[in-house]
């Protein structure tokens, strides 16, 4: 059976755009909240392959999305590089030791920490509906590095940006290490059963043009090139959130097969500025999904109209939010599938 999402990512425009939503497996679902409470926390859930596979499949079972995205976290790569990863109750992730104060060489690599992820992939791949495309993912090097250097998330990534300016050689070592592990990580996801992968660069928008070129475009181009060489025909989606007008250079220089657009991108601009045959993904504002109703349908309609003549995967401009009503997700799916 033809898989609409995979076909779209390979450049085949569909009469009705396929749909999946970033963070579609998550806290807005009561079945997710119940399983997370049972397992005792986020990281325990990620590292329990059977539970993580169940979480991956939950939104497919409920909504029938065209794509399932692996349930895991972008910080599994720093964990494999040797940092200790934890999630405090009600807090964001923490990585120790923070590399702003420690050399990369002080870490002891622990690639075995990724094995539960590969087992999750195998279990999901064996149980997905035949028409559903299975997506793997990793964080892009710049975004991953911001957590590794600071040891935690931040609003402006200031600590990591200063580090990159003051000691670019040391920062390049960190980026290069992330690239190497990420290529192997995504390659093994593909070998275990995913059919396409996405690179999340959630903090790409915090960089100046020159730094964007060095720390976003360069490393992502290296990953995309290596994956294309190892796995010809497997699509790679790039998602440089906040890139704005730098998207055109990102697409041209990284070689991604499709590009995700955040909610700040004007769909009409993207349709005109990006290569006409390039598959695009996005870009409904997650907040308008919470609003629902006519406002949501109008916003979705503008996106559908802008991308009507190119391969388009309907998605959000970033992850679905915790307080999103399930009824609004159902309304969105019905609207997209009726208009297409």
């Amino acid at each position: 059976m033809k898989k609409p999402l995979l076909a779209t990512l390979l450049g085949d425009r569909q009469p009705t755009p396929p749909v999946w939503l970033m963070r579609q497996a998550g806290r807005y679902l009561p079945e997710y909240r119940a399983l997370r409470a049972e397992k005792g926390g986020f990281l325990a859930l990620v590292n329990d392959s059977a539970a993580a596979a169940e979480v991956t499949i939950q939104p497919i079972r409920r909504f029938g999305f065209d794509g399932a995205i692996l349930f895991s976290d972008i910080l599994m790569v720093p964990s494999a590089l040797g940092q200790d990863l934890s999630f405090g109750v009600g807090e964001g992730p923490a990585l120790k030791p923070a590399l702003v104060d420690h050399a990369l060489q002080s870490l002891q690599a622990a690639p075995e920490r990724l094995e539960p992820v590969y087992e999750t992939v195998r279990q999901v791949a064996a149980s997905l509906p035949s028409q559903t495309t299975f997506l793997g993912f990793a964080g892009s090097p710049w975004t991953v590095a911001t957590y590794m250097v600071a040891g935690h998330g931040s609003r402006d990534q200031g600590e990591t940006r200063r580090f990159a300016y003051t000691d670019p050689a040391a920062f390049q070592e960190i980026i290069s290490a992330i690239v190497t592990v990420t290529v192997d990580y995504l390659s093994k996801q593909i070998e275990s059963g995913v059919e396409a992968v996405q690179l999340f660069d959630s903090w790409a928008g915090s960089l100046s043009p020159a730094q964007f070129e060095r720390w976003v475009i360069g490393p992502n181009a290296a990953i995309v090139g290596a994956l294309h060489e190892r796995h010809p025909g497997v699509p790679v989606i790039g998602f440089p959130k906040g890139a704005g007008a730098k998207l055109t250079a990102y697409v041209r220089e990284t070689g991604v097969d499709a590009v995700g657009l955040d909610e700040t991108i004007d769909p009409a601009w993207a349709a005109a500025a990006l290569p006409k045959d390039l598959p695009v993904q996005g870009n409904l504002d997650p907040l308008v999904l919470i609003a629902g109703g006519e406002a949501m349908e109008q916003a979705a309609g503008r996106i559908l109209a802008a991308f009507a003549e190119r391969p388009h995967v309907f998605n959000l401009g970033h992850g679905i939010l915790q307080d999103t009503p399930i009824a609004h997700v159902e309304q969105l799916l019905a609207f997209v599938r009726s208009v297409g």
Side-chain angles (χ1 to χ4, degrees):
M1 178 181 291
K2 185 177 183 180
K3 298 189 175 191
L5 175 55
L6 185 58
T8 302
L9 294 174
L10 291 170
D12 184 7
R13 184 173 68 86
Q14 304 295 299
T16 300
V19 184
W20 71 278
L21 303 181
M22 287 181 277
R23 289 198 200 129
Q24 64 189 26
R27 291 178 292 177
Y28 74 108
L29 293 176
E31 56 265 43
Y32 169 83
R33 295 194 297 270
L35 187 56
R36 178 165 171 169
E38 176 188 328
K39 294 299 177 181
F42 176 76
L43 201 54
L45 197 55
V46 167
N47 285 318
D48 182 325
S49 297
E54 166 63 18
V55 171
T56 302
I57 295 169
Q58 283 176 347
I60 308 306
R61 190 180 297 131
R62 180 184 278 271
F63 299 113
F65 288 122
D66 295 292
I69 185 151
L70 170 68
F71 179 74
S72 188
D73 193 84
I74 65 168
L75 299 185
M76 296 304 292
V77 164
S79 178
L81 281 165
Q83 284 184 303
D84 291 327
L85 173 63
S86 63
F87 288 81
V89 177
E91 301 174 355
L95 288 166
K96 295 180 180 179
L99 296 187
V100 70
D101 297 319
H102 294 79
L104 179 67
Q105 290 77 13
S106 68
L107 302 181
Q108 182 67 42
E112 67 278 2
R113 293 176 177 175
L114 298 177
E115 289 301 325
V117 178
Y118 307 138
E119 177 57 25
T120 299
V121 172
R122 287 188 284 268
Q123 292 189 25
V124 172
S127 55
L128 276 181
S130 60
Q131 74 275 16
T132 308
T133 299
F134 190 9
L135 301 160
F137 77 93
S140 288
W142 162 253
T143 291
V144 172
T146 65
Y147 290 92
M148 293 186 70
V149 170
H152 51 76
S154 70
R155 289 185 179 274
D156 65 356
Q157 298 76 56
E159 199 164 20
T160 306
R161 288 159 61 199
R162 286 193 295 270
F163 185 90
Y165 278 124
T166 57
D167 198 344
F171 191 64
Q172 182 64 63
E173 288 186 13
I174 296 169
I175 291 288
S176 297
I178 296 169
V179 168
T180 298
V181 172
T182 301
V183 169
D184 288 341
Y185 181 45
L186 291 176
S187 183
K188 289 179 182 177
Q189 288 185 34
I190 293 166
E191 290 166 1
S192 299
V194 305
E195 299 164 289
V197 295
Q198 176 158 309
L199 289 163
F200 283 87
D201 223 339
S202 301
W203 303 128
S206 63
L207 292 169
S208 70
Q211 298 296 89
F212 184 90
E213 182 76 27
R214 180 167 185 181
W215 304 126
V216 173
I217 290 179
N220 279 284
I223 293 170
V224 173
L227 290 176
H228 282 166
E229 185 174 342
R230 293 190 190 186
H231 305 282
V234 175
V236 180
I237 310 165
F239 179 57
K241 188 176 188 296
K246 297 189 287 291
L247 267 174
T248 54
Y250 175 92
V251 165
R252 183 177 63 251
E253 297 175 32
T254 61
V256 291
D257 301 287
V259 66
L261 311 177
D262 67 64
E263 66 271 20
T264 68
I265 298 295
D266 181 349
W269 173 84
L274 297 173
K276 65 179 182 179
D277 57 345
L278 178 77
V280 298
Q281 178 178 278
N283 64 328
L284 190 73
D285 189 339
L287 290 174
V288 82
L289 180 58
I290 292 177
E294 184 179 354
M296 181 184 71
E297 291 189 359
Q298 288 178 347
R302 286 192 293 270
I303 294 167
L304 291 168
F307 299 134
E309 301 304 317
R310 70 160 67 230
H312 176 216
V313 175
F314 197 95
N315 206 316
L316 301 179
H318 202 223
I320 191 168
L321 297 168
Q322 180 177 355
D323 53 341
T324 301
I326 286 174
H328 293 184
V329 178
E330 294 170 340
Q331 178 195 359
L332 176 65
L333 281 168
F335 177 78
V336 172
R337 288 172 174 167
S338 68
V339 170

